[in-house]
Amino acid sequence: MTLNSALYNALTGLSANARSAHVVSSNVANATTEGYGVRSLSLSSRTLGGAPSGVVIEGVTRHVDERLLGDRRLSDAALGHGSARSSFLEGLEKAIGTPDQPGSLTGRMAQFEAALIEAAARPDSEATLNASLNAARNVVSHLKATSDHIQNARLSADQAIAQEVDQLNQGLKDVQDLNTKIQAAIVRGADPSGLMDQRQQAIDALSSIIPIKQVPRDGGQVALISSGGAILLDGRAAELGFSPVNTIVPEMTLGSGALSGLTINGRPIDTTTDRNAISGGSLAAHFQIRDDLAVTAQEQLDAFARDFVERFQDPALDATRAPGAPGLFTDAGAAFDPADEVALSSRLSLNAAVDPTQGGAVWRLRDGLGAAVPGNVGNATLLGQLVDALDAPKVASSGGFSGAARSSAGLASDLLNTVAANLEHSEAQLSFDLAQNDSLREMELAQGVDTDAEMQKLMIIEQAFAANAQVVTAADEMLQLLLGM
């Protein structure tokens, strides 16, 4: 071994020590950076002619648990799906109102019945008749407001779909570009770890929208496939298509063609089944809200409105009404036709004959909708029949309710209970998904940068650097001694 080789060995050691210090400093600086993969320097001994010839820097290795990362991304999707569902159901429950709220549907139904009972006890009092009319108007307004809330939720879901489709398209293009840059960096022999961090962050940003599985490809590239089997990226990024609308009414559905579906590279994707190409993330949840949950909620609300209207449209209830004439509640001023139930709750109105704001007279609540002149002010027969109509057990004709007979207030309670049960189930699942996601993220953090371990490495690097520097100094002194002879 010559002095020159000793000097060369020490210089390669210094270079490796400097590179190691750079890697450690990068790890420490990014200890809290989301998506950062811990780096380590790969070294190997070099031999020349069978003799040691310093150290070779093989490259920087990025350490990521791909299985844990994949599980966390699937958990992100489940959390996004559950959050969207629970948010919709929570809003729907608030719109209908819980029994402890005076402005709830059940509360307004109770106020309407109480007002009719009081009017039946004092049929001569115009104040009690007006109170009954106002209570009836409040029920109608509440049903309309709830229907508007449901359709606004559908519109919000439609807009969220459009935003997430745009985000997916841009994100997939970004991952495609990063794939290309990573491959080029590897070909040049450069360290692609920073680009891989950026790619992981880009994929993580999409993971709550669609459940994504990452598949390795040659040259450091990756392919992205949804858990439902849709190829989102494999060389080239897929193009998702969707056309949002500016307004949604109950009659507009995906099946009627009034609302847009989803396409991937121009091919339609079925989003109506539980297991489809995009199922499991927030995008699937928004389709479910727009095309299933909100549609079912509207159908049940319309079914309640139908039951409510038909109770007062019974021909035997008011002898003063002409055959086929509407009852106390109307479908936009006309008699209700069972064939036109869709969106009934949004068209419900008080009969103009009893509404002074529409040219009617409140005394017709007592004397009959078809009465031409006021009758006996002490006659409470019709008012009592209106109370009986509300309380009569009746099987709902639509809406998917059970076949049990119930009063109008009972049907209102069943409507709320259905939403509350769905919300409770959704929140229980969301709690599980949230706990699982937190656990997976903690496991990811545990595999991240250990600053204590990095500091220990730095001390070893410092000692090795000092030792190599001492070798260089000693070799230099020996050479100077030889040159001075």
Side-chain angles (χ1 to χ4, degrees), residues 220-242:
Q221 300 193 68
V222 297
L224 299 180
I225 302 173
S226 75
S227 60
I231 299 175
L232 303 175
L233 170 68
D234 196 357
R236 292 185 61 84
E239 182 73 23
L240 283 74
F242 179 78

Side-chain angles (χ1 to χ4, degrees), residues 285-353:
H286 292 313
F287 272 107
Q288 192 176 37
I289 290 168
R290 191 196 68 173
D291 301 326
D292 182 16
L293 295 178
V295 171
T296 299
Q298 183 68 51
E299 288 173 352
Q300 292 185 330
L301 189 68
D302 291 338
F304 173 81
R306 173 180 178 174
D307 176 86
F308 193 55
V309 169
E310 289 180 338
R311 288 174 182 272
F312 298 97
Q313 194 169 284
D314 186 349
L317 182 62
D318 183 358
T320 66
R321 283 192 294 120
L328 180 58
F329 299 95
T330 73
D331 182 357
F336 168 66
D337 181 356
D340 195 20
E341 182 178 331
V342 177
L344 173 62
S345 54
S346 65
R347 302 191 305 269
L348 201 64
S349 64
L350 276 172
N351 195 313

Side-chain angles (χ1 to χ4, degrees), residues 96 105 297 300-301 304 401 410-420:
I96 297 173
L105 178 59
Q300 292 185 330
L301 189 68
F304 173 81
F401 293 102
L411 187 60
S413 296
D414 282 357
L415 174 63
L416 175 61
N417 290 339
T418 299
V419 176

Side-chain angles (χ1 to χ4, degrees), residues 241-288:
F242 179 78
S243 299
V245 294
N246 294 322
T247 185
I248 291 182
V249 295
E251 292 83 359
M252 295 173 65
T253 64
L254 179 64
S256 69
L259 298 177
S260 172
L262 181 71
T263 62
I264 297 181
N265 291 330
R267 298 183 62 180
I269 301 297
D270 184 5
T271 58
T272 61
T273 59
D274 291 336
R275 294 183 179 275
N276 56 66
I278 63 165
S279 61
S282 60
L283 182 62
H286 292 313
F287 272 107
Q288 192 176 37

